[in-house]
Amino acid sequence: MTAPQPKPWIMAIAPYIPGRSTTDDGRKVVKLSSNENPLGTSPAARATFAGAADTLERYPDAGATELREVLAARHGLDPARIIYGNGSDEVLHLIAGAYAGPGDEIIHVRYGFAVYEIATRRVGAEPVIAPDKDYATDVDAVLACVTDRTRVIYIANPNNPTGTYAARDEIARLHAGLRPDILLVLDHAYAEYIDGDAEDGGMALAETASNVLVTRTFSKMYGLAAERIGWGYAAQPIIDAMHRIRLPFSITIAGTAAAVAALGDTDFVAHTKAHNAKWRRWFSDEIGKLGNAGLRAVPSQANFVLVLFEGKLTAEVAYKGLMDAGYIVRWLPGQGLPHGLRITIGTADETQGVAAALRKLVDDAG
Ligand SMILES: *Cc1c(COP(=O)(O)O)cnc(C)c1O
């Protein structure tokens, strides 16, 4: 050996590909590729963030006391059982780090969130992929993947990149079918976008069961993706295990302060939710009108829509055509979706614009 050798399981990781913000020729265009909040962030959060410039020399509170207390009060939780991290991505990594290693298996669904496979391989565990049911989570298929070596199951609900949603009774059935030593992770990055007051019962499960972790984020609905604040809720022993390997200062003073302010701005959250619901419905209906041309919108409960291209116009051609028209969306051949584009719901103008551009591409394809 002539050089340091990375572990083989590290070299088996396909690097995460983030959503793009510029075109091939470097033009800056409308970014509908990362599921960010098109309405920005809460003005209160922005003002609080700016105020944090006065304490740059201080380390953050490693215990995130204020954040945990505000979250606990808002959601009716025990603050001691809240874990936090540099985005919910860090929390997802902490779980694999604490509960799996070489020889273990971690299940995620086909067309699942790319971070799950990276978090699994990083610790030397084996990813096991459960087949989907028309792009949605298939609880029976997940249960059929369980073996003696299963340690963790990652389920995003709603799921990314499909936008599909497993209802409360399905999640309950999944949990009931698991051995108590298997940790069920319910990733609620998009839970705030679900229609009406429906929710999957994950938080109630995390409250009572000894093997459920729910993760949440400030990156999507709260419009704070830049500041990397995520959190999770589980039984105390799970939280204690994750704390052992957490980087002590992984969340910043400014980000934490902005998150606390964002939680208090319920008007901004309600406005974002209503905007998203309205334009998600409108955009899905517009795609429905292009059904003759082989376009199909997968039913979404998130802030994006997965559009499938099953006719003359391919997803690849549409991806490039949208880029020429000034819109960057997400084409995901690396995730088994060469025939799909994930399109974030933007402002009213952006959403109408991307729909018009798609209509034109369909016409041009003949
Ligand atoms: C965006 C997203 C996250 C959140 O990531 P952060 O690290 O909190 O920004 C988590 N899970 C899924 C499925 C996501 O799409």
Side-chain angles (χ1 to χ4, degrees):
M1 300 266 179
T2 56
Q5 299 296 304
K7 289 295 177 190
W9 54 83
I10 299 298
M11 298 316 283
I13 293 174
Y16 183 82
I17 303 171
R20 298 173 48 166
S21 48
T22 52
T23 60
D24 291 334
D25 53 8
R27 278 178 301 133
K28 199 157 169 50
V29 291
V30 175
K31 186 182 178 199
L32 301 176
S33 59
S34 295
N35 301 340
E36 295 149 337
N37 191 328
L39 306 180
T41 192
S42 148
R46 196 185 302 275
T48 307
F49 177 82
D54 291 340
T55 53
L56 291 177
E57 73 283 13
R58 300 287 176 205
Y59 275 105
D61 168 17
T65 310
E66 188 189 11
L67 177 66
R68 285 189 296 110
E69 281 173 359
V70 171
L71 282 170
R74 164 60 48 85
H75 294 282
L77 306 173
D78 174 358
R81 291 169 53 186
I82 294 175
I83 186 84
Y84 39 90
N86 190 256
S88 48
D89 282 356
E90 184 187 3
V91 180
L92 297 167
H93 274 279
L94 290 177
I95 263 302
Y99 287 92
D104 295 332
E105 294 173 352
I106 297 183
I107 300 171
H108 66 264
V109 300
R110 176 158 61 196
Y111 316 128
F113 185 39
V115 165
Y116 304 152
E117 181 163 344
I118 296 173
T120 299
R121 291 197 189 277
R122 178 189 178 194
V123 300
E126 200 58 45
V128 174
I129 296 168
D132 62 301
K133 188 166 61 188
D134 200 18
Y135 299 92
T137 297
D138 180 346
V139 164
D140 295 305
V142 173
L143 288 171
C145 287
V146 170
T147 73
D148 290 348
R149 306 203 293 180
T150 307
R151 297 290 170 261
V152 175
I153 300 177
Y154 288 117
I155 302 281
N157 202 30
N159 186 39
N160 173 16
T162 61
T164 54
Y165 174 62
R168 194 184 183 96
D169 55 333
E170 286 293 281
I171 295 298
R173 196 161 68 79
L174 172 59
H175 179 252
L178 295 177
R179 294 195 312 267
D181 64 299
I182 297 175
L183 218 161
L184 176 61
V185 178
L186 296 170
D187 178 343
H188 278 186
Y190 302 99
E192 293 91 350
Y193 293 100
I194 297 167
D195 268 336
D197 294 327
E199 51 111 356
D200 69 3
M203 212 46 107
L205 273 180
E207 184 67 63
T208 53
S210 58
N211 64 337
V212 175
L213 169 74
V214 168
T215 62
R216 305 282 295 252
T217 183
F218 283 92
S219 299
K220 307 286 159 59
M221 174 72 86
Y222 292 97
L224 288 172
E227 281 309 300
R228 319 299 311 122
I229 308 288
W231 60 283
Y233 195 68
Q236 196 70 58
I238 297 174
I239 300 300
D240 292 347
M242 286 193 283
H243 270 302
R244 289 170 189 270
I245 55 172
R246 199 175 59 74
L247 297 177
F249 303 110
S250 64
I251 63 174
T252 63
I253 291 178
T256 308
V260 168
L263 265 182
D265 192 343
T266 49
D267 285 351
F268 179 78
V269 169
H271 179 53
T272 295
K273 178 166 177 160
H275 169 89
N276 185 73
K278 173 181 173 182
W279 289 102
R280 180 178 68 200
R281 194 176 325 112
W282 182 86
F283 184 70
S284 301
D285 287 349
E286 289 300 299
I287 298 301
K289 294 176 192 165
L290 301 174
N292 287 343
L295 273 64
R296 171 156 82 100
V298 176
S300 172
Q301 288 286 328
N303 65 344
F304 56 86
V305 174
L306 178 65
V307 180
L308 303 174
F309 294 78
E310 297 163 325
K312 218 168 180 180
L313 176 65
T314 65
E316 183 174 12
V317 168
Y319 173 69
K320 290 176 176 156
L322 288 177
M323 197 175 308
D324 288 341
Y327 300 91
I328 294 195
V329 301
R330 196 71 165 264
W331 180 43
L332 294 161
Q335 282 181 249
L337 289 166
H339 57 299
L341 297 180
R342 192 196 69 189
I343 302 178
T344 305
I345 300 302
T347 62
D349 279 355
E350 290 165 354
T351 308
Q352 289 170 307
V354 77
L358 271 174
R359 267 195 303 274
K360 181 164 186 315
L361 286 163
V362 164
D363 287 345
D364 292 349

